[in-house]
Amino acid sequence: MSKIEEERKEEINALISEMTLEEKVSLMLHESPGVERLGIKPYNWWNEALHGVARAGYATVFPQTIGIAATFDTELVQKEYEVISDEARAKYNEAQKVGDYGQFRGLTFWTPNINIFRDPRWGRGQETFGEDPYLTSRMGVAAVKGLQGDDKDNLKLAACAKHFAVHSGPESTRHTANVKPSKKDLWETYLPAFKALVDAGVESVMGAYQRLYDEPCCGSKFLLADILRKQWNFKGHVVSDCWAIRDFHTNHKVTKTEEESAALAISNGCDLNCGCTYHAAIAAVRQGILPEEKVNQSVFNLLMTQAKLGMLDSWEKSKWAYLGAKDVDTKESRALARKVAQDSIVLLKNKNGLLPVKDSVHKIMVMGPVATNINSLIGNYYGLNSKLVTILEGIIGKTESRQQITVDYHPGVGMYNDSKQRGWTVGMAESADLIIACFGLDNMMEGEEGDSVETTKGDRDFIELPEHQLSYLQAIHDRGTPVVLVLTGGAPIAFPYEIADAILFAWYPGEEGGNAIADIIFGDTVPSAHLPMTFPKATADLPDFEDYSMKGRTYRYQTKEALFPFGFGLSYTSFKFENAKAEKTSDGIKVDFTLENTGSFDAKEVVQVYISKVKRNEDDPLASLKYFTKVEVAKQSKKDISFTLPMTAFESINQEGKAEILSGDYFITIADSAPVELSEKLGASKSAQIKISI
């Protein structure tokens, strides 16, 4: 038991003993009226901070989460979420001053989303850290540390690991689906990130909408009682996804009444209902189907979270009481947003070193509807501010100090299902020295159920670049002027590799996105991001969207050649891995190697370390990421790098879902992209491979 639990346990139990059943149940709804006579204020538990404080007005808007994952930089991620926590505390303080206890003004944030982005059609995949459980774990832990701070007894905010578990689309069936992955896939792919965040002290866990092995996740004994509480010893509180408890009787049909639904969820450890069903817990207790002790335990968990946040005392006593409106979207936070965006943009192609822009370029033609589209900056679950820098604005800004360059612009075609191309504008490409073509997706084309309006329930039916955009892009390319393609989106997009001479994938890059993209194009920043997702060549290459088996999915199990592999990302310089060796130690396997920057730019390299069996079984991963680090190396310089892989890096998960370390030979591959033939074919550095016996 932590210090604060010891100090406040008796106080909280005393408060609970003074409450009526109605008062206790009222505290278990996300919009809680409080218990005024006991000094418990009203509180709305629903707050969002996916990539900045969201839905609460003015805030720093960082790149969307999938872009954050592309940085492969946990230190940078933690810094970002520290800024987010500053702004959240500032908004809470300002709200407290005027007695505003409403939604999106609190300290409990339903972030991060650590579901595995297993299928690029999923509209909410943009909210995640990608397809890999190890990358997701490390990024998720960094986010939690940034949000909550380093004092478990005095939380800055309460973070939330969501959606527990095996949640990743389709959005159209999330209220009815019954998901049954193999136990191997469950423990090897879907659960590791949740375990990592629980171990890191995440204060809250949110259940998922669907059923898992016949049990609705927000009332699952298997997930909530057996795994989360007993096996992982989770001590925080559990919250339902919004109106997920209602699904028990209206969609899943595992209960018949709302009283039964409330009883099922609370009995198995779901403490807080985002929704309205827990009103029925009062009747459930009186009907004898829900022990009141279960209600008491949930209320205890919720009040303990509030105690850790200092909410049972005056906000003015908090060590963060000094934060206020002046601390939101500051000059420093905008600089960090730009830095994160710079480090999130992936260079996928750079034929003949077209980028950065050369001095010989005097006329640039910017084309495409994304260039001026704010929706392509902010993604979903976003904040807002008065200076959202579009790609066109970023490019124009660069010409202030480069007066020899002129810039013209035309969208050429609409963003959405618009077949009306302005064909005459294609001719404008011929008079330019360089085309910067801005295409892709925005938050109207992919997202959560109910958010996007251009797709079915938020998911995409096809991963290809929209046909009207592709045909216009092809017409531009056919004119012969060199083309830099800038793509936005929260998920992989399939397109012909030959369609452009240089390609940047910018995700949804946030408030400073336009400036960050321009920084890359003009060489003020060297690209260093790498893909947290495999980019398939076509929708036809994907397994059934509703099949949660990992077979044929992600770099670990996909056998079809991709368009771009997981971990891929080019630089303006070149790197070499040398002198790689490994030895057994008492702590694990110590690995040493030399990283050399052989090019002409100072730059950062994402070192990726993969483990694979020399003799793999059919159901073993092809390779698994087990370590990564981002290293800055000056041009024409070397750095010696050393790290130790724990023996758990060599674990296999068997068909029963149990971890075991099997003796045998393993490859340790040091690379800057997934260890597949395509990586080096597209320009990745030659990997270094070590064989070791375990």
Side-chain angles (χ1 to χ4, degrees):
M1 185 176 293
S2 68
K3 179 181 177 182
I4 193 169
E5 287 173 320
E6 291 177 354
E7 291 177 348
R8 314 273 321 230
K9 180 179 180 180
E10 289 187 13
E11 173 193 352
I12 291 172
N13 281 329
L15 283 172
I16 294 171
S17 70
E18 292 289 321
M19 295 179 196
T20 65
L21 176 60
E22 288 80 2
E23 287 171 333
K24 286 184 282 192
V25 169
S26 75
L27 297 180
M28 297 170 63
L29 291 146
H30 78 272
E31 192 171 9
S32 167
V35 183
E36 184 178 356
R37 67 184 183 85
L38 297 178
I40 300 174
K41 296 178 182 178
Y43 183 65
N44 196 308
W45 292 80
W46 188 345
N47 304 278
E48 305 286 359
L50 185 63
H51 54 113
V53 179
R55 300 176 176 173
Y58 202 82
T60 303
V61 186
F62 289 95
Q64 178 59 286
T65 313
I66 191 69
I68 297 168
T71 69
F72 277 73
D73 190 335
T74 55
E75 290 184 11
L76 186 64
V77 171
Q78 184 168 337
K79 287 179 183 178
E80 172 188 325
Y81 283 95
E82 287 170 355
V83 169
I84 293 171
S85 66
D86 279 348
E87 296 192 5
R89 271 284 175 175
K91 289 178 176 293
Y92 174 76
N93 292 345
E94 296 290 354
Q96 290 292 302
K97 291 176 186 177
V98 296
D100 180 356
Y101 307 115
Q103 190 175 13
F104 307 130
R105 307 294 276 180
L107 296 177
T108 49
F109 283 83
W110 294 345
T111 297
N113 183 339
I114 53 170
N115 292 130
I116 296 300
F117 198 175
R118 66 180 179 89
D119 191 299
R121 288 167 289 198
W122 186 36
R124 298 192 72 179
Q126 61 181 285
E127 301 175 27
T128 76
F129 294 110
E131 73 182 29
D132 181 73
Y134 180 78
L135 177 63
T136 299
S137 299
R138 301 275 55 83
M139 290 292 182
V141 167
V144 169
K145 288 180 177 179
L147 290 171
Q148 295 191 170
D150 56 7
D151 183 353
K152 63 182 179 180
D153 292 325
N154 190 18
L155 298 178
K156 193 174 183 185
L157 302 178
C160 178
K162 69 182 188 185
H163 309 82
F164 191 55
V166 199
H167 182 70
S168 51
E171 287 291 290
S172 60
T173 61
R174 68 182 186 173
H175 299 288
T176 57
N178 187 17
V179 178
K180 296 184 178 182
S182 69
K183 291 295 178 66
K184 176 179 173 63
D185 284 341
L186 177 71
W187 290 96
E188 183 179 69
T189 298
Y190 292 114
L191 292 187
F194 287 97
K195 175 64 162 57
L197 266 63
V198 170
D199 289 346
V202 70
E203 183 62 18
S204 177
V205 171
M206 177 182 281
Y209 282 113
Q210 80 280 350
R211 280 170 285 161
L212 177 68
Y213 307 135
D214 302 320
E215 291 185 303
C217 292
C218 292
S220 168
K221 179 180 180 296
F222 173 67
L223 283 175
L224 303 183
D226 297 343
I227 295 176
L228 189 61
R229 295 289 186 189
K230 293 180 183 177
Q231 187 169 336
W232 294 350
N233 199 31
F234 175 67
K235 296 299 185 183
H237 73 268
V238 174
V239 56
S240 76
D241 208 337
C242 295
W243 284 267
I245 309 298
R246 183 176 63 188
D247 285 339
F248 290 11
H249 54 278
T250 60
N251 290 310
H252 294 306
K253 307 296 185 182
V254 298
T255 55
K256 295 180 180 179
T257 66
E258 59 182 3
E259 290 82 7
E260 290 180 0
S261 296
L264 178 63
I266 296 168
S267 294
N268 285 318
C270 184
D271 305 305
L272 181 67
N273 177 204
C274 179
C276 57
T277 308
Y278 275 11
H279 287 295
I282 299 168
V285 171
R286 290 174 177 158
Q287 290 172 13
I289 61 174
L290 173 63
E292 190 166 353
E293 291 76 14
K294 292 288 187 178
V295 172
N296 293 345
Q297 182 61 57
S298 288
V299 174
F300 178 90
N301 293 340
L302 295 172
L303 290 177
M304 186 58 73
T305 293
Q306 290 190 329
K308 292 176 184 178
L309 290 164
M311 293 176 61
L312 299 186
D313 305 307
S314 169
W315 70 272
E316 294 171 302
K317 294 182 180 180
S318 165
K319 68 178 182 180
W320 298 290
Y322 68 90
L323 292 167
K326 69 182 187 309
D327 301 297
V328 177
D329 198 38
T330 64
K331 179 181 178 181
E332 292 76 18
S333 62
R334 289 197 71 91
L336 183 62
R338 186 167 180 167
K339 167 69 172 172
V340 176
Q342 290 168 345
D343 284 12
S344 72
I345 297 165
V346 187
L347 178 63
L348 295 174
K349 182 179 181 180
N350 196 21
K351 183 179 179 182
N352 299 325
L354 178 61
L355 293 179
V357 171
K358 306 298 186 290
D359 291 340
S360 57
V361 172
H362 299 294
K363 184 175 182 180
I364 293 174
M365 186 68 200
V366 180
M367 309 185 85
V370 164
T372 57
N373 185 359
I374 289 175
N375 286 336
S376 293
L377 299 177
I378 58 179
N380 74 345
Y381 284 93
Y382 51 82
L384 295 168
N385 63 59
S386 59
K387 191 179 179 184
L388 300 169
V389 184
T390 66
I391 300 173
L392 180 61
E393 288 170 326
I395 292 169
I396 290 293
K398 289 297 180 185
T399 64
E400 294 177 12
S401 60
R402 296 174 171 86
Q403 289 295 312
Q404 75 278 15
I405 297 176
T406 62
V407 177
D408 199 357
Y409 166 69
H410 202 290
V413 68
M415 187 72 197
Y416 310 121
N417 297 321
D418 180 0
S419 61
K420 296 180 181 178
Q421 298 182 11
R422 295 170 177 85
W424 63 268
T425 64
V426 174
M428 300 172 73
E430 294 182 357
S431 62
D433 299 318
L434 182 71
I435 304 299
I436 300 178
C438 304
F439 292 92
L441 309 176
D442 72 7
N443 61 14
M444 295 291 98
M445 303 166 76
E446 59 176 352
E448 188 174 3
E449 175 192 27
D451 279 353
S452 60
V453 297
E454 295 291 326
T455 61
T456 303
K457 298 286 188 177
D459 296 325
R460 292 184 295 160
D461 294 327
F462 302 96
I463 67 169
E464 283 74 16
L465 187 67
E467 179 56 37
H468 69 285
Q469 292 190 27
L470 179 61
S471 61
Y472 189 77
L473 178 59
Q474 184 67 61
I476 295 171
H477 181 263
D478 290 346
R479 292 300 175 115
T481 303
V483 175
V484 176
L485 173 60
V486 178
L487 285 170
T488 61
I493 300 174
F495 57 90
Y497 180 79
E498 301 79 14
I499 202 70
D501 303 283
I503 302 169
L504 293 171
F505 205 90
W507 313 102
Y508 298 131
E511 65 181 36
E512 284 287 324
N515 285 329
I517 291 167
D519 290 337
I520 298 287
I521 289 174
F522 287 90
D524 296 333
T525 299
V526 177
S528 64
H530 291 250
L531 295 177
M533 285 286 294
T534 301
F535 276 42
K537 285 186 175 180
T539 307
D541 290 344
L542 300 174
D544 182 353
F545 194 6
E546 297 192 47
D547 181 358
Y548 277 75
S549 167
M550 293 307 297
K551 184 177 181 181
R553 298 188 186 279
T554 79
Y555 76 94
R556 293 188 305 149
Y557 289 104
Q558 182 174 317
T559 55
K560 294 182 178 179
E561 186 177 77
L563 179 62
F564 298 103
F566 172 88
F568 181 74
L570 300 175
S571 174
Y572 292 154
T573 193
S574 53
F575 292 98
K576 182 186 293 186
F577 301 107
E578 299 179 306
N579 306 320
K581 57 184 179 180
E583 61 176 337
K584 295 180 182 178
T585 70
S586 58
D587 297 323
I589 305 298
K590 185 174 181 291
V591 179
D592 299 278
F593 69 97
T594 300
L595 176 64
E596 182 178 2
N597 181 342
T598 60
S600 55
F601 290 84
D602 298 342
K604 289 170 287 188
E605 170 69 309
V606 173
V607 176
Q608 303 162 39
V609 179
Y610 296 87
I611 303 297
S612 56
K613 292 180 180 177
V614 173
K615 294 182 179 179
R616 56 179 292 273
N617 297 320
E618 183 180 358
D619 61 352
D620 287 328
L622 297 169
S624 294
L625 181 71
K626 293 298 181 181
Y627 178 84
F628 63 88
T629 186
K630 201 161 194 174
V631 184
E632 189 162 5
V633 187
K635 59 186 177 184
Q636 299 298 314
S637 297
K638 298 180 180 182
K639 276 194 176 179
D640 293 328
I641 298 173
S642 179
F643 59 91
T644 298
L645 291 170
M647 292 309 298
T648 52
F650 297 87
E651 284 182 345
S652 296
I653 304 297
N654 63 27
Q655 293 300 329
E656 288 72 46
K658 303 297 183 182
E660 53 188 2
I661 299 176
L662 302 175
S663 59
D665 293 332
Y666 292 80
F667 286 127
I668 301 172
T669 304
I670 304 167
D672 59 7
S673 183
V676 295
E677 184 178 348
L678 178 63
S679 292
E680 293 179 24
K681 178 181 175 182
L682 293 176
S685 303
K686 182 176 176 58
S687 63
Q689 194 171 77
I690 308 164
K691 183 178 178 181
I692 190 166
S693 296
I694 300 297

